[in-house]
Amino acid sequence: KQEVTQIPAALSVPEGENLVLNCSFTDSAIYNLQWFRQDPGKGLTSLLLIQSSQREQTSGRLNASLDKSSGRSTLYIAASQPGDSATYLCAVRIGGSQGNLIFGKGTKLSVKP
Amino acid sequence: DTGVSQDPRHKITKRGQNVTFRCDPISEHNRLYWYRQTLGQGPEFLTYFQNEAQLEKSRLLSDRFSAERPKGSFSTLEIQRTEQGDSAMYLCASSPYTGELFFGEGSRLTVL
């Protein structure tokens, strides 16, 4: 059974710091991996999608890497801002292109001015 | 707005009542998903449609839950005889062929 773990559960950093969020999964047979952001009481916003054949994806200040063989992904946020404060969720897709996503519990990030 | 739309955003109901949520996906997406999220947890998969066909249902989807997507466009999720344990955020997502999921704002259910 695929399990997704995100460490740490919560993180507080001062503004301007570079930071890394970690995601690990138990079964390397994934189709893709997606990182999301969730603000309190809101839905999920897609940040980055990495296909299983890819090693990393970048969007602005965000960079996500994928190492399937070790069952790990990282989300790197450069020059953090207070507006980055949110919960970050990682999810892996199993069962091929039509499979569903298995989510971690998320990392709650607080960036202090 | 061309994103995923969910209605209502909040629903408060008494135990035993029936509730229905609606999801309008992004128009060119043929795949539609329902997830449930409780406080402090990641979303849990409930069910998935490709066009009008319901292709997968989670064991979480008890016989009190039913989902439809009658014309392959919008979808409804109905919960019959609600219980307090049904209180959660119900999230809808749609997906194009790339497999990237786009979520709506969710429908929060509170069962008293």
Side-chain angles (χ1 to χ4, degrees):
Chain A
K1 178 188 173 186
Q2 178 73 268
E3 293 184 358
V4 180
T5 303
Q6 292 187 246
I7 295 174
L11 180 65
S12 180
V13 300
E15 182 178 4
E17 193 162 298
N18 301 327
L19 58 101
V20 174
L21 306 181
N22 296 295
C23 172
S24 61
F25 45 95
T26 54
D27 187 345
S28 62
I30 64 170
Y31 184 77
N32 60 34
L33 183 146
Q34 198 167 351
W35 281 94
F36 296 88
R37 168 188 172 135
Q38 187 173 33
D39 293 292
K42 302 288 188 179
L44 281 67
T45 300
S46 177
L47 297 174
L48 290 164
L49 171 71
I50 310 178
Q51 301 294 350
S52 62
S53 59
Q54 297 175 320
R55 297 283 293 183
E56 66 178 330
Q57 282 287 337
T58 298
S59 175
R61 294 183 295 108
L62 305 179
N63 176 277
S65 68
L66 173 63
D67 184 342
K68 268 185 59 177
S69 61
S70 66
R72 294 175 187 272
S73 176
T74 61
L75 179 66
Y76 174 83
I77 303 177
S80 58
Q81 303 170 358
D84 295 331
S85 298
T87 296
Y88 290 80
L89 294 149
C90 113
V92 297
R93 182 184 288 275
I94 60 173
S97 64
Q98 298 185 9
N100 70 77
L101 293 186
I102 307 296
F103 281 85
K105 293 184 179 182
T107 294
K108 186 175 182 179
L109 173 65
S110 175
V111 181
K112 300 192 180 302
Chain B
D1 183 23
T2 57
V4 177
S5 177
Q6 292 189 244
D7 183 71
R9 294 292 313 281
H10 289 99
K11 179 71 176 177
I12 300 174
T13 191
K14 293 182 179 179
R15 189 176 55 186
Q17 298 295 305
N18 299 342
V19 296
T20 299
F21 300 113
R22 175 179 170 128
C23 172
D24 287 89
I26 295 171
S27 59
E28 60 267 29
H29 292 180
N30 63 351
R31 299 172 185 175
L32 186 146
Y33 301 78
W34 285 99
Y35 284 80
R36 180 173 70 185
Q37 185 179 28
T38 53
L39 198 62
Q41 303 295 314
E44 296 175 295
F45 170 76
L46 292 178
T47 190
Y48 155 64
F49 291 86
Q50 177 149 324
N51 300 314
E52 66 274 14
Q54 189 174 18
L55 296 185
E56 189 174 351
K57 292 170 58 174
S58 163
R59 287 174 295 177
L60 293 175
L61 215 65
S62 75
D63 56 5
R64 295 185 298 105
F65 288 69
S66 63
E68 294 183 344
R69 194 181 183 197
K71 297 182 179 179
S73 56
F74 73 93
S75 174
T76 58
L77 177 68
E78 180 183 16
I79 308 174
Q80 297 181 326
R81 305 181 303 281
T82 51
E83 302 173 356
Q84 288 184 326
D86 297 331
S87 295
M89 176 79 88
Y90 290 86
L91 294 162
C92 175
S94 68
S95 170
Y97 72 95
T98 60
E100 184 174 7
L101 261 65
F102 295 86
F103 281 82
E105 291 290 343
S107 293
R108 180 168 296 284
L109 174 64
T110 301
V111 181
L112 302 176

